[in-house]
Amino acid sequence: MLLAPSILSADFSQLKNEVDKIREADLIHVDVMDGHFVPNISFGAAVMKSLCGKTNLPFDVHLMIENPDKYLEDFVTDQTQYICVHQETCPHLDRTLKHIKEQGVKAAVALNPSTPLTMIEEVLSQVDMVLIMSVNPGFGGQKFIESSVEKVRKLDDIRREKGYDFLIEVDGGVNLDNAPLLIDAGTDILVAGSAVFKANNIEETVKAFKKHTR
Ligand code: DX5
Ligand code: ZN
């Protein structure tokens, strides 16, 4: 089980210090928002790249942007492990996933809470990870949508039935209380923004998550 704290909830004025505190996590979740696909603007590739070499954790890039094909190469670095695009932004999803893989990066696809799993059925054999959004994307600190647990369970069933090997990531409103439920349903990667970076003690919170995930 892997923990991916989202730097969206970190103190941007001291990003390097903030990532130092999550050393015991597994990935850094990078939330990129364009103010079009989602009603908020976060940061772009330059901010992510400023962390290259400043942390050992790989980047888990979550592109909440329209026309991701146009920008995804900007996010390819030695530290980039996953690039995730939203199904809702990709009319030619098969091509976009291939484009990501051509960069030597793992390809992932995200689904909004209202998008059914059937929308990605045809590409499940070629993705390295599926991100199930458990809030409507756009902001950190929102309330977890409970029906996401069932969606994860369904996806885990499909994975088992078909023998696929993608990982399942859950993003939005994840905290120490709902983590066990999500893990039980089949989640491999937990994204946590405010639960980690707004905690009184960030290091201890990361440890507490990792205990849950064992
Ligand atoms: C939401 C982002 C999430 C967000 C998670 O649009 O994709 O990654 O930062 O933040 P929390 O954990 O606070 O919901
Ligand atoms: Zn995210």
Side-chain angles (χ1 to χ4, degrees):
M1 201 60 48
L2 306 173
L3 177 67
S6 165
I7 52 169
L8 183 66
S9 298
D11 179 349
F12 291 163
S13 72
Q14 44 173 328
L15 213 40
K16 158 83 172 79
N17 291 341
E18 292 281 82
V19 299
D20 279 347
K21 295 178 192 159
I22 58 162
R23 246 178 265 127
E24 293 189 34
D26 302 286
L27 295 153
I28 293 186
H29 188 77
V30 178
D31 282 312
V32 181
M33 302 178 179
D34 67 351
H36 290 276
F37 174 57
V38 292
N40 191 15
I41 298 174
S42 58
F43 50 77
V47 170
M48 184 195 86
K49 284 175 171 163
S50 76
L51 291 174
C52 281
K54 302 281 195 301
T55 158
N56 291 326
L57 299 182
F59 300 140
D60 170 31
V61 182
H62 180 190
L63 295 180
M64 288 163 277
I65 64 175
E66 277 171 17
N67 203 356
D69 278 273
K70 191 171 164 194
Y71 301 99
L72 61 87
E73 285 168 35
D74 294 348
F75 292 89
V76 178
T77 70
D78 290 347
Q79 258 177 275
T80 308
Q81 183 158 10
Y82 292 99
I83 293 184
C84 182
V85 293
H86 269 260
Q87 182 276 333
E88 299 85 0
T89 64
C90 296
H92 307 291
L93 183 56
D94 176 273
R95 179 189 289 150
T96 304
L97 293 169
K98 289 191 168 96
H99 186 184
I100 297 173
K101 287 188 173 179
E102 278 163 18
Q103 311 303 312
V105 172
K106 291 183 176 170
V109 63
L111 292 181
N112 280 341
S114 62
T115 307
L117 293 172
T118 48
M119 296 304 286
I120 53 169
E121 207 178 290
E122 303 300 328
V123 295
L124 282 179
S125 62
Q126 52 170 307
V127 294
D128 297 296
M129 189 245 279
V130 176
L131 189 169
I132 300 294
M133 285 304 307
S134 42
V135 298
N136 289 292
F139 304 93
Q142 301 183 81
K143 192 177 172 298
F144 182 76
I145 296 173
E146 300 287 339
S147 60
S148 318
V149 179
E150 229 11 73
K151 201 172 182 181
V152 170
R153 208 178 292 282
K154 250 198 213 169
L155 182 59
D156 184 44
D157 286 346
I158 296 170
R159 175 168 63 173
R160 203 169 316 110
E161 272 164 32
K162 305 264 186 184
Y164 294 143
D165 57 5
F166 57 79
L167 298 186
I168 301 176
E169 178 173 72
V170 176
D171 183 8
V174 172
N175 55 41
L176 284 166
D177 294 330
N178 56 27
L181 271 177
L182 289 166
I183 293 162
D184 178 68
T187 309
D188 305 291
I189 309 176
L190 292 173
V191 175
S194 45
V196 168
F197 284 108
K198 303 289 187 217
N200 288 332
N201 188 325
I202 295 174
E203 287 98 332
E204 287 305 318
T205 305
V206 168
K207 280 189 192 139
F209 264 106
K210 289 298 292 181
K211 238 178 244 162
H212 263 314
T213 59
R214 238 162 244 147

